[in-house]
Amino acid sequence: MNPDRPRPLLKGKRVLLLFYEASTRTRSSFEIAAKMMGAHTILIQATGSSIEKGESLLDTGYTVRAVGADVIVIRHPNAGAPQLMAQHIDVPVINAGDGMHAHPSQALLDAYTILRNKKSFKGLQVAIVGDILHSRVARSSCHLLSKFGVKMILCGPQELVPEIAATLAPGIRVTRHVEDALRGTDVVMLLRVQKERLSGLKIDLPEYIARYQMTPARLRMAKKDAVVMHPGPIIRGLELTSEIADGGQSRILEEVHNGVPTRMAILARAVGRMR
Amino acid sequence: MKEKTTSVSSLLIKGGHLIDPAARVDAPMDVLLKDGRVAEVAPPNKIRGAADEKFDARGLMVAPGFIDLHVHLREPGQGHKETIATGTAAAAAGGFTSVCTMPNTAPVVDSAEWVEWIRQPERGALVNVFPIAAATRSSKGVTLTDFASLQRAGAIAVTDDGKPILDDAIMREALVLGGELNFPVVQHAEDTRMTENCSMHAGARSFRLGLRGMAAAAEASVVERDVQLAMQIPNARLHVAHVSTADALKGVRRGKRAKARVTCEATPHHFTLTDEDMRDYDSNYKMNPPLRAASDLEAILVALADGTVDAIATDHAPHALHEKQMEFERAAFGITGLETALGLAITKLHREKRIPLVRVVELFTAGPARCFDLRGRGSLARASVADVTIFDPKKKWKFEVATSLSKSRNTPFDGWQLQGKVVATIVGGRIVHSA
């Protein structure tokens, strides 16, 4: 989908953005994607709606359906919330991120970004460095990329990258050493330490920075033409330095940019007239 | 499923096969019940004299009335989930003649008054109800309740079930006092410091689903500590509720080998399902302790067969639809279980794992009766209480939750094909359920 020459595939459709959790990139790019294809968008956030008054997830779903939603885009802090919605509401439900479980539209836009920078997925090695445990992006990317035979390396301390992470999909390896993760790697994906999800877990941040922060020196261990990605929000000085964030190998803003056409495609496939 | 309440002073159960593990009987026997007691047990056609009524048990198994050590009947205060009347109707349909109720109600059953309230005839119980009282005030884990007065009021044990008795000193005090009064302390073994915000077992599946997992060690560490205490404290009686992990069973075994008074129960769902069975964030697979790994399930099967586990208990935990039909992490813990227990036990333990039927029956009768000293129950020896469960171990049937007598519908077993069905449930000589 070319965002510069949009087609009105969603003309007259009502796209309901149901956001139970804070979001900048995902929300704005779904909204822009929908509007560019001619849809009406309605944003409902947890604060300032009946959700605050204790309305259940399903009742909110039935209500927005009754209002006339043609598709529901949902972001929720609980894993599985979009699935529950989809089981009971008879319009397409798009998962815009649920708890620590999945963030499929992010994985798709990341895959799209990789394809715009690399010839194909064939033989590719992708290292994800950071807080895998709490990351729905990491889980979705592992599922998607491993389906195309991408070799995945997950890297971080035990507390954030448990061994069990290797069972997510075939072809995944876990390592504690960033050098090991970077050697021969084509794509370096960085993740933020999700302080809001630590739930009592203690992480020694100076230690984390010392061992895992992406710096120009470390990035040189990856392939020469390696690209750096990050689903955002980035925390400069923590998982990466400004030199990396703003450097020539960074594709972080390209990812954000690619979010719009990717989400246009998702919406068009869900409710577009082209079907 | 219809219900029939017949009041007779004598009832002859004729032509059945009696399994009474406590009396070491596994043979065709007729059983005469009279005035609420077992009057005579004899080989076929040897009982002389008239009975007011006869029950034709040809082709059926006759067993002591089943005892469930762990049910949540939700009264006082949570009648929207279950009442003592509806819960005991479901118990009768499941073949249980006695159930032990958990105190985590609203308010918590931590006083003699509430224990007595549960036992009042106005509650409409269809089977015997034995209250288990709270071990600490409001089950807050801080101050012990008055064990002696609770015991006098009719409580058969104490527990803070739903929560553990976590504090070392309080658990020690509870076991000391329980030991003096010959009062079992029932532990919900979970180190809640390790399970905050968790909604299923910690394993590959919880990682994949993005759900925080309860480590098996959170159960085993509490069992380990409790067994140590039970070994040190004279006469202490520890009963470990719903054991779900291989490591916790090791702790129980250690205690039993040391001749400590340690008993435990396991649930049908823990010997039937694993964490891998949950699909689509179905909250009917959410309970505490959670469904565990396949290796834990295997360990429970071994422990059921070798005697480490004393009783099958359902942990029947009814919840209203709106408390379950929500985000998995926010949904209530617990599933119903009274009506599926026998079918699952015969299907999974006897048919699939070849555990002898006598042992399965023991786990529903003599085993639980011993755990809480339910005198006169768990056996059909002469002069025992006339509580009888009659079942067909070969009968194949489909459990349909729509027909459940419980007020709630939260079960993962809806539509399951099971083998082994209750035919009649007799409490104090009265038929309270017949299929």
Side-chain angles (χ1 to χ4, degrees), chain B residues 168-190:
Chain B
D168 293 347
I170 296 287
M171 187 60 183
R172 172 181 286 277
E173 259 184 71
L175 287 168
V176 167
L177 188 54
E180 287 165 9
L181 297 168
N182 196 26
F183 209 26
V185 177
V186 180
Q187 178 67 295
H188 167 114
E190 175 191 358

Side-chain angles (χ1 to χ4, degrees), chain B residues 326-375:
Chain B
M326 60 197 311
E327 298 89 324
F328 189 87
E329 290 168 277
R330 299 179 62 206
F333 285 102
I335 62 170
T336 60
L338 286 164
E339 289 155 289
T340 43
L342 178 69
L344 288 168
I346 290 182
T347 306
K348 293 285 158 187
L349 305 182
H350 179 56
R351 193 182 72 189
E352 291 179 19
K353 293 291 165 183
R354 302 283 160 209
I355 295 177
L357 205 52
V358 180
R359 173 64 187 150
V360 174
V361 169
E362 185 177 27
L363 286 160
F364 280 110
T365 58
R370 272 195 303 269
C371 291
F372 292 168
D373 280 344
L374 300 175
R375 290 185 207 292

Side-chain angles (χ1 to χ4, degrees), chain A residues 85-104:
Chain A
M85 189 75 103
Q87 281 161 8
H88 291 91
I89 314 287
D90 65 347
V91 294
V93 174
I94 295 171
N95 184 357
D98 63 328
M100 310 190 302
H101 172 232
H103 196 349

Side-chain angles (χ1 to χ4, degrees), chain A residues 107 110-115 118-128 138 140-154 166 168-173 181 184-189 223 229:
Chain A
D110 281 343
Y112 177 56
T113 305
I114 292 172
L115 280 181
K118 304 285 163 192
K119 279 198 194 74
S120 81
F121 290 127
K122 214 173 154 205
L124 228 50
Q125 179 171 308
V126 175
I128 308 185
S140 284
S141 287
C142 283
H143 292 309
L144 179 58
L145 296 177
S146 74
K147 279 194 170 57
F148 293 94
V150 173
K151 214 169 118 190
M152 307 285 298
I153 301 171
L154 307 181
L168 269 180
I172 299 180
R173 186 164 72 81
T185 282
D186 301 281
V187 178
V188 183
M189 295 175 106
K223 276 193 183 166
M229 295 171 58

Side-chain angles (χ1 to χ4, degrees), chain A residues 76 79 101 139 168 197 199, chain B residues 207-208 212 281 327 329:
Chain A
H76 200 285
H101 172 232
R139 283 178 179 79
L168 269 180
R197 292 191 215 274
S199 194
Chain B
F207 187 87
R208 190 186 175 90
R212 292 174 200 279
Y281 296 92
E327 298 89 324
E329 290 168 277

Side-chain angles (χ1 to χ4, degrees), chain B residues 78-336:
Chain B
Q78 297 167 326
H80 68 285
K81 297 172 193 268
E82 192 80 283
T83 63
I84 291 172
T86 58
T88 53
F96 292 100
T97 58
S98 296
V99 293
C100 305
T101 58
M102 288 295 165
N104 61 336
T105 45
V108 168
V109 178
D110 61 1
S111 67
E113 289 71 27
W114 281 116
V115 170
E116 282 155 8
W117 184 89
I118 289 172
R119 300 175 68 216
Q120 283 163 1
E122 293 92 311
R123 302 290 87 77
L126 204 57
V127 307
N128 308 298
V129 174
F130 295 103
I132 300 175
T136 66
R137 277 191 221 155
S138 301
S139 283
K140 287 195 188 310
V142 181
T143 317
L144 288 191
T145 50
D146 185 346
F147 286 14
S149 94
L150 293 168
Q151 195 176 32
R152 275 195 305 275
I156 48 146
V158 284
T159 188
D160 280 348
D161 186 61
K163 292 189 275 190
I165 305 167
L166 209 51
D167 188 273
D168 293 347
I170 296 287
M171 187 60 183
R172 172 181 286 277
E173 259 184 71
L175 287 168
V176 167
L177 188 54
E180 287 165 9
L181 297 168
N182 196 26
F183 209 26
V185 177
V186 180
Q187 178 67 295
H188 167 114
E190 175 191 358
D191 188 338
T192 45
R193 292 165 299 193
M194 296 166 70
T195 58
E196 209 185 333
N197 299 322
C198 294
S199 51
M200 70 177 290
H201 173 63
R205 187 137 187 94
S206 68
F207 187 87
R208 190 186 175 90
L209 293 173
L211 295 172
R212 292 174 200 279
M214 302 183 186
E219 178 177 85
S221 60
V222 173
V223 171
E224 191 61 41
R225 181 210 53 188
D226 291 351
V227 167
Q228 287 294 341
L229 288 171
M231 283 160 55
Q232 294 161 10
I233 299 166
N235 297 319
R237 294 182 67 175
L238 170 69
H239 179 78
V240 185
H242 43 50
V243 174
S244 67
T245 60
D247 285 345
L249 285 164
K250 282 182 196 156
V252 171
R253 276 201 187 92
R254 195 177 355 268
K256 289 194 167 195
R257 266 202 305 273
K259 303 281 180 229
R261 299 171 85 190
V262 176
T263 55
C264 75
E265 68 194 31
T267 73
H269 47 277
H270 287 115
F271 67 65
T272 302
L273 301 168
T274 70
D275 61 339
E276 296 288 336
D277 289 309
M278 193 267 275
R279 292 276 174 272
D280 297 329
Y281 296 92
D282 184 345
S283 63
N284 283 331
Y285 289 77
K286 179 180 177 181
M287 68 292 285
N288 188 7
L291 299 173
R292 299 288 189 181
S295 55
D296 293 310
L297 187 150
E298 289 303 321
I300 291 171
L301 290 172
V302 169
L304 282 161
D306 74 11
T308 305
V309 172
D310 298 274
I312 292 171
T314 64
D315 195 3
H316 177 80
H319 290 292
L321 192 57
H322 72 270
E323 295 163 321
K324 280 301 230 181
Q325 208 174 63
M326 60 197 311
E327 298 89 324
F328 189 87
E329 290 168 277
R330 299 179 62 206
F333 285 102
I335 62 170
T336 60

